[in-house]
Amino acid sequence: MDPQAELRIVRAGYAKQILAAANTINPRLTEAFAAIPREHFVGPGPWMMLRWWSRDYAPTPDADPVYLYTNDLVALRPERRLNNGQPSLHAYLMHHAAPDAGEHVVHIGTGTGYYTAILAHLVGPSGRVTGIEYDPDLAADARANLAAYANVEIIQGDGTQVAFASADVIYVNAGCTRPAARWLDGLAAGGRLILPLTSDDGFKGGAPEQVARSGAVFRIRREDAEYQADWISPVAIIPCDGGRDEASEKALAEAFARGGWQKVTRLYRDAGIPDERCWLRGPGWCLAYD
């Protein structure tokens, strides 16, 4: 069989397995995962794969791309523990972000571009994706990897500060301690922000299960001047450069210790919300209960 034809079959099976692992039924997303070749975004093989039982990397036996079509993290910069993220988590979060044809997606933490390419496939040629990557080397790789994607622009810079046009989806792929004002301002009416919030406890050499418990992903939906919010997933993810500070990390850690993040329903940009209604408060904003 032609190797590319074989890989198309492998990708189709991979896509179904990834959506099943995410406990998600979404034909458009399944088709997107089947369409995008992961090997175009993770460098030449053999590849270093993160194995959870050893908490370390192990190489694939050779450079056959078939090894990339599993629900595993692939090292991008193993010496820095930077990986191409877990496909099932991204499938689950993209399902909740629900990017549609013709929409504008802003991808914060684009890495080398694999999940940016999937987002670009979902919005189609009538939509567009703005990928923002803090690390200059990763941004350069993403720009090269996505050169053929006419609906993608890659910007190197601080994703909490870089200006962008009004967005239907802001998809954040790094752990923050607070939402950036630019993200809240930049959401269009009906826009969705996928926001991972993580405390520092997850980044001090703890086991993967400890990292997961320290983080939570919220979906923020803008409705005119109001923001609905709901918890959608635990998360283990690298810290967001520019999206963390000591005071907000302390407040977030205390909020996680109290529990109750699953009950959050609103994000307010209002300092006057009573403390008893706030799960997490920052300067001029809070995640709150109805």
Side-chain angles (χ1 to χ4, degrees), residues 250-275:
K250 180 180 178 182
L252 179 60
E254 290 172 352
F256 279 133
R258 289 193 302 272
W261 59 88
Q262 302 95 330
K263 300 176 184 178
V264 167
T265 58
R266 300 286 293 276
L267 184 148
Y268 289 100
R269 304 183 77 175
D270 181 350
I273 305 300
D275 286 344

Side-chain angles (χ1 to χ4, degrees), residues 80-288:
R80 297 166 56 193
R81 309 289 288 187
L82 293 178
N83 307 306
N84 181 250
Q86 188 173 36
S88 62
L89 173 64
H90 283 273
Y92 184 79
L93 298 182
M94 287 184 191
H95 174 72
H96 284 276
D100 205 355
E103 291 193 319
H104 177 210
V105 177
V106 175
H107 185 187
I108 308 294
T110 198
T112 57
Y114 175 58
Y115 296 107
T116 313
I118 291 175
L119 291 166
H121 188 93
L122 289 167
V123 301
S126 63
R128 60 192 177 111
V129 179
T130 302
I132 304 174
E133 174 54 49
Y134 188 91
D135 184 284
D137 290 339
L138 295 179
D141 285 351
R143 196 172 288 116
N145 294 338
L146 292 159
Y149 290 71
N151 62 344
V152 175
E153 178 187 14
I154 300 299
I155 301 172
Q156 189 275 314
D158 182 343
T160 68
Q161 301 296 325
V162 170
F164 52 81
S166 179
D168 301 292
V169 173
I170 301 175
Y171 188 68
V172 181
N173 283 168
C176 309
T177 58
R178 49 180 163 74
R182 186 170 296 279
W183 301 341
L184 299 176
D185 292 339
L187 274 182
R192 292 82 68 198
L193 165 64
I194 300 299
L195 178 66
L197 294 177
T198 57
S199 73
D200 285 349
D201 290 344
F203 305 104
K204 295 178 180 177
E209 61 271 17
Q210 293 172 325
V211 177
R213 284 201 297 270
S214 75
V217 184
F218 293 87
R219 178 180 54 191
I220 313 297
R221 180 181 177 88
R222 185 169 189 172
E223 298 181 358
D224 297 320
E226 297 186 349
Y227 299 84
Q228 305 297 321
D230 58 317
W231 171 81
I232 56 174
S233 177
V235 70
I237 200 165
I238 64 170
C240 179
D241 291 306
R244 307 180 71 82
D245 65 81
E246 185 176 349
S248 61
E249 192 283 325
K250 180 180 178 182
L252 179 60
E254 290 172 352
F256 279 133
R258 289 193 302 272
W261 59 88
Q262 302 95 330
K263 300 176 184 178
V264 167
T265 58
R266 300 286 293 276
L267 184 148
Y268 289 100
R269 304 183 77 175
D270 181 350
I273 305 300
D275 286 344
E276 60 269 20
R277 289 185 56 201
C278 289
W279 175 71
L280 174 65
R281 185 188 294 279
W285 67 273
C286 72
L287 285 170

